[in-house]
Amino acid sequence: MGQALGTDCKLWEGECDADGDDPAEQVQDDPKARRKYVLPQNHKLTVMMFGMTGAGKSSLGNLMADGQIFEAGDDTASVTNTDSIMKYEAEDGALVLLDTIGLGDTEINQEKVVSSIRDVALSAPNGVDCLFYVMRNARITDDAISRLIYVTEYLWGDDSLMNLYIVVTDASKYAKNRKAGEEWIQRQVEINWRFKHIYGIVGKNSGRFLFIDNPDPSSGELQIEERRESSHQEIFKALCRHPRDAVPPFTQAMMKQVAEMTKVERAQLDAKAKEVQRLKGELKKKQPKKKAKSSKMAKIVEEPTTEAEIELERYLQKAREDMKVAQQAMNAKLDQVKADSSFQQAATRQAEIATTRFTKDFQSGTGEKAQAAVSMMSALSKRLFQNKEKTEQKAKTTSASVMEPAEIVKPTEEQIKEILNTLRKSPQCQETPAQLFRTLGGWSGAGAIQPMVFTKFVLTAVPGVQQAHVGALWWRADTNCDGQVDLQELKDFFENHVNKSGTD
């Protein structure tokens, strides 16, 4: 039976496909028809990819989008380009992909940083669910590690680390053998300080590493389609299991301001999109099911035949036209926000804050990380304060419609320790882990505790705890990153964290 995981994603295990049809009516040699991990419609799970040029971001995006989307650029209607972001949204609204441009270039400067802050806020006003740091299975350079540190811990803020996954491309060996991949991770941690830092910022959780074997379709290599399909499902398994109820999208002040300034247009667009999906579903229910005779008939286009179908098709066309108008209104509003001078100044200010902190922390420092950051500090600091006085003077005379970006700080270990200590003393935790597991419903349903249940448990046991703290606790509990906490994981969570919180 299909079961709901962290994102309400369905696991289609032979019962039905993503559209609800009987697999017997699907073409048997079409792997897409037999996919196990499929995101639900209108879920709008937002994934932002970043990494050094040549790491395979665009290829990864194309794999997730099932087409040559990002390489096509302006020639593809489903991709929206800004100065620093390429955005793709799946037709069914299940997935939104953001491909960053500029942050992975050999040279990075303040202009690129400012445009990235601005364009991410415009592209993801509701926040980013998953950050994919894409790195090739090769030696990690100083530039790559300093870029990762700057983007996550300074530019987007430490809160973004809760949403971070490491996608290792060109990793055919480990994509086929997860155990070998786990062993590789531990070897790298022991011998490479750069990799050890990457391992640390994902909570030392190897489950947040994804190994991908994504050969170029035109390369002529063996078993290309099978390898690509396997990697597609590996990615979507992680997306399906992402604990959205425990680890919310990371947001910043500018994202929240864009969300507020486009609230009316977004609501109208969402309503129109849902109406299109509803009518498509209604039309499909009325159309008779037909079996495909061969692989050439894998995709059947049903033509409306009855009066009811014709009427639904007419409504659907009108709904699509209405959605197009709503999308145009949304785009116009985003252009207006982008041109707002105070919005631009806020992006500049946030870039200055990130760069100043980064430079201050490493300029006079010693050690490997400081040495690795040298070239990046030089590039970022160039022209940083050149127009600062002019910008500040203009800000004094301009009515600001966007708030000053707030510095976001990841929960410290001391804060987590204090929360764990409160959790340990709470009435809810006076039971044994096995008893608590039963109380939280772990024995029923999927045989594990789901993210929403875990979140409610923590919020009840520790009143006033912030959602970011809940996310930090979740990653300590869900050690295999399968989107749920089983009995053994709950026992380990108490033994390794809760019960030790007052003794460290």
Side-chain angles (χ1 to χ4, degrees), residues 112-148:
K112 290 181 179 179
V113 174
V114 171
S115 64
S116 181
I117 292 170
R118 180 197 66 215
D119 294 341
V120 168
L122 292 168
S123 302
N126 293 324
V128 175
D129 294 286
C130 301
L131 269 173
F132 278 5
Y133 177 63
V134 186
M135 56 177 279
R136 193 171 291 281
N137 180 20
R139 177 179 173 271
I140 305 170
T141 64
D142 281 354
D143 199 28
I145 190 65
S146 60
R147 195 70 52 90
L148 173 63

Side-chain angles (χ1 to χ4, degrees), residues 70 110 173 183 231 238 295 323 334 399 441 459 474 477 491:
F70 291 104
Q110 275 311 102
K173 176 182 177 180
E183 293 171 351
S231 290
S295 59
M323 187 174 74
L334 288 173
S399 176
L459 292 175
W474 173 267
K491 289 180 177 178

Side-chain angles (χ1 to χ4, degrees), residues 136-429:
R136 193 171 291 281
N137 180 20
R139 177 179 173 271
I140 305 170
T141 64
D142 281 354
D143 199 28
I145 190 65
S146 60
R147 195 70 52 90
L148 173 63
I149 292 171
Y150 175 76
V151 170
T152 56
E153 300 173 59
Y154 290 84
L155 185 60
W156 302 125
D158 282 347
D159 263 7
S160 68
L161 298 180
M162 298 292 177
N163 306 81
L164 181 64
Y165 292 82
I166 310 300
V167 181
V168 184
T169 62
D170 207 19
S172 57
K173 176 182 177 180
Y174 308 126
K176 290 185 291 187
N177 187 339
R178 181 71 201 189
K179 183 179 178 181
E182 299 276 352
E183 293 171 351
W184 175 81
I185 290 172
Q186 296 306 320
R187 285 198 307 273
Q188 298 305 308
V189 168
E190 293 172 4
I191 65 175
N192 189 326
W193 73 266
R194 300 176 187 85
F195 193 94
K196 184 177 181 179
H197 182 81
I198 295 173
Y199 185 63
I201 63 177
V202 292
K204 300 180 180 179
N205 192 329
S206 60
R208 289 165 72 183
F209 283 79
L210 307 176
F211 296 104
I212 300 303
D213 180 18
N214 184 23
D216 187 331
S218 62
S219 65
E221 296 183 31
L222 296 175
Q223 298 180 313
I224 288 178
E225 288 306 315
E226 292 86 345
R227 291 158 60 189
R228 285 172 57 83
E229 182 62 22
S230 176
S231 290
H232 178 282
Q233 284 294 275
E234 182 67 16
I235 290 291
F236 273 77
K237 179 169 69 173
L239 297 181
C240 286
R241 292 176 168 181
H242 179 70
R244 212 180 203 183
D245 293 323
V247 182
F250 91 83
T251 57
Q252 291 183 318
M254 291 190 66
M255 292 180 183
K256 294 174 183 177
Q257 285 299 306
V258 172
E260 181 62 29
M261 296 169 73
T262 60
K263 182 166 60 176
V264 173
E265 290 79 10
R266 284 188 304 113
Q268 292 174 346
L269 179 57
D270 287 345
K272 302 300 182 186
K274 288 178 181 177
E275 179 64 5
V276 168
Q277 293 300 329
R278 186 188 71 79
L279 290 170
K280 286 172 69 175
E282 287 295 317
L283 184 60
K284 184 164 186 175
K285 288 178 184 177
K286 290 187 177 295
Q287 291 172 336
K289 296 180 179 179
K290 298 179 182 179
K291 294 185 179 180
K293 302 298 183 181
S294 68
S295 59
K296 293 180 180 180
M297 297 175 64
K299 189 174 181 180
I300 300 174
V301 178
E302 300 283 4
E303 294 293 337
T305 55
T306 67
E307 185 176 339
E309 288 177 27
I310 293 173
E311 185 177 15
L312 270 175
E313 182 67 30
R314 190 183 307 117
Y315 286 143
L316 179 57
Q317 291 301 325
K318 178 64 167 59
R320 284 173 171 155
E321 292 172 5
D322 290 344
M323 187 174 74
K324 185 176 181 180
V325 171
Q327 183 65 67
Q328 291 170 345
M330 180 67 177
N331 293 342
K333 185 64 175 181
L334 288 173
D335 287 341
Q336 180 183 337
V337 174
K338 183 178 179 179
D340 185 89
S341 59
S342 57
F343 182 77
Q344 295 173 0
Q345 290 159 18
T348 301
R349 178 62 179 149
Q350 185 172 319
E352 290 173 354
I353 291 172
T355 298
T356 301
R357 287 179 57 228
F358 181 79
T359 304
K360 180 180 178 182
D361 288 350
F362 294 113
Q363 196 166 40
S364 57
T366 57
E368 295 164 320
K369 283 197 287 186
Q371 184 177 355
V374 170
S375 63
M376 188 168 175
M377 283 191 294
S378 175
L380 282 170
S381 299
K382 196 175 182 180
R383 297 189 303 278
L384 171 59
F385 301 107
Q386 211 170 57
N387 300 316
K388 188 175 180 182
E389 289 185 11
K390 184 178 179 181
T391 300
E392 290 179 346
Q393 183 61 37
K394 188 174 182 180
K396 291 178 182 178
T397 60
T398 304
S399 176
S401 60
V402 180
M403 69 174 66
E404 186 77 3
E407 234 179 276
I408 302 175
V409 181
K410 181 182 69 171
T412 65
E413 286 303 314
E414 283 301 314
Q415 289 174 320
I416 295 298
K417 182 177 176 181
E418 184 178 341
I419 292 169
L420 287 168
N421 195 41
T422 303
L423 191 65
R424 178 173 58 86
K425 296 176 182 178
S426 68
Q428 290 83 355
C429 293

Side-chain angles (χ1 to χ4, degrees), residues 3-7 243 245-246 440-442 444-456 474 482-485:
Q3 57 179 301
L5 293 182
T7 58
D245 293 323
L440 296 177
S444 61
I449 299 170
Q450 303 301 312
M452 183 175 291
V453 175
F454 182 87
T455 298
K456 289 181 179 178
W474 173 267
D482 67 348
Q484 52 192 2
V485 174

Side-chain angles (χ1 to χ4, degrees), residues 26-46:
Q26 297 294 331
V27 180
Q28 295 304 308
D29 61 355
D30 181 10
K32 295 179 182 179
R34 303 191 301 272
R35 281 176 174 169
K36 182 178 179 180
Y37 297 99
V38 182
L39 289 169
Q41 292 182 351
N42 294 316
H43 196 56
K44 294 190 182 298
L45 189 82
T46 300

